[in-house]
Amino acid sequence: MSMEAAQPLIDYFQKIVPLTENEQQWVSECFKPRLYRKRQFVLQEGDVCKYFNFVVRGCLRMYKVDDKGNYNTLQFAIENQFITDAESFYNQENSALEIEVLENAEILQISHSDLLKLYDFSPKFERIFRIISQQNAMFLQKHLSQVLGMPSGERYLYFEQEYPQLVGRLSQVQIAGFLGITSECFSRIKLHIKNS
Amino acid sequence: MSMEAAQPLIDYFQKIVPLTENEQQWVSECFKPRLYRKRQFVLQEGDVCKYFNFVVRGCLRMYKVDDKGNYNTLQFAIENQFITDAESFYNQENSALEIEVLENAEILQISHSDLLKLYDFSPKFERIFRIISQQNAMFLQKHLSQVLGMPSGERYLYFEQEYPQLVGRLSQVQIAGFLGITSECFSRIKLHIKNS
DNA sequence: TTTTTGTCTTGATTTATGTCATTGCACAGC
DNA sequence: GCTGTGCAATGACATAAATCAAGACAAAAA
């Protein structure tokens, strides 16, 4: 694959720390582009999460299926976002989650061992992935604080406000799974809020 | 304060990456020990989270108070654990959360600017805090996947299994706040599970 | 000792949400 | 044109959980 496949990711990194030609070269070599179609899986339950994923284009979701078959969604990812089961990837152990493609997607993937090589090649990558991990933790912390104990009406408003670019792109069922409510409940809340 | 105040933290770091004498010295100087009494606050809503906190001894919780006055708890922290409002600390903006001391505690605190100095002093600290951030993200991801859409019975079992060392140390109200349920519900669930 | 305080339990009731079933609609494929 | 498919809306009903209230109990304070 040509060098420019990794360009969106290199641009992303450069906003954090400028990279030398050589470092950019390493990024291009370590991150492999891959195309996925809608409904395919980047990660399936029981498998090890082999790659740290960067979305160049498309849309994905990561969720846990519970006993009743509900899709409890932890995260969506669109252009210029990362999506990875942190626990499975860093510990290289079997995952309890799935990552599914919602819209045909182009992904840049780095393996665990290649990421370790990248860290050793330049401390800049340590910094970049420290910051990415921090941002990931911030996102999870914010989301947790919103869904924990909040009534469904507030969760709906929070989603609309926090992720306006996702509202038109996802189905109600998908958003509901992210907020920990059913799609029927979601539908009723929408009606209730418009009327108030 | 004497040099050995930071020793538990240095030991913690050494398990990730061995440190030179000089690096240990920097840790001792950047992290300031502070004593807190039960019911005091390390962070109050509306303030900026000035410090990244490491618990040497004691017990703390971080929570968001909602409209109804519930304590929606994101995290507990005991010996050898970190507790910080990531969003407020990294962005140095006002916090929506509080960090409260549940048992008299000894904390090691580093300011945001001192942490940046530490990063610039040695890339080892980039690595250490990358790994700490990863662990934090893993914890949050796991907790989110458990409380999102899971019935209260399963949340209870999950807590007992995942945090046995906390069960005897926290009150039911405190655990319930972490699981996103009321203490009455928690009490009934306990009864129900023993009988089955 | 008695009082106070906090925690847990238990019951009665209300409320929010889930569940199940049905309908309508838009869209893709034949 | 149909026909299937997926998604959203809505109604009827069931159920889980919150709420409100009371009482038991233990530990700490007076």
Side-chain angles (χ1 to χ4, degrees), chain B residues 25-149:
Chain B
Q25 187 64 34
W26 270 73
V27 173
S28 289
E29 280 165 23
C30 289
F31 281 87
K32 315 271 195 268
R34 178 160 173 185
L35 297 176
Y36 285 94
R37 287 190 319 278
K38 189 176 170 174
R39 284 169 205 271
Q40 285 188 307
F41 291 94
V42 175
L43 169 67
Q44 293 192 77
E45 189 185 341
D47 289 347
V48 171
C49 185
K50 287 185 174 169
Y51 304 109
F52 202 89
N53 305 288
F54 178 79
V55 183
V56 177
R57 60 183 173 77
C59 182
L60 294 82
R61 66 170 169 182
M62 179 166 71
Y63 56 84
K64 179 182 169 72
V65 182
D66 65 24
D67 312 333
K68 283 174 282 179
N70 296 318
Y71 287 38
N72 298 308
T73 301
L74 303 178
Q75 193 193 338
F76 297 108
I78 57 173
E79 289 74 25
N80 290 307
Q81 294 182 338
F82 292 93
I83 187 163
T84 300
D85 175 357
E87 201 172 0
S88 173
F89 180 77
Y90 292 125
N91 301 329
Q92 289 289 288
E93 61 188 31
N94 290 341
S95 177
L97 310 179
E98 312 214 298
I99 300 176
E100 186 197 355
V101 179
L102 300 177
E103 297 172 9
N104 292 349
E106 183 185 345
I107 312 290
L108 288 165
Q109 301 182 313
I110 187 169
S111 72
H112 192 252
S113 58
D114 280 351
L115 185 54
L116 295 182
K117 282 181 203 154
L118 217 51
Y119 293 148
D120 287 333
F121 175 69
S122 164
K124 277 188 200 170
F125 293 113
E126 296 272 8
R127 172 163 296 194
I128 287 167
F129 280 87
R130 169 177 63 77
I131 289 168
I132 289 168
S133 280
Q134 285 173 9
Q135 289 169 344
N136 189 217
M138 282 190 269
F139 159 77
L140 288 165
Q141 184 191 289
K142 169 156 238 162
H143 187 45
L144 184 59
S145 78
Q146 293 295 335
V147 300
L148 198 65

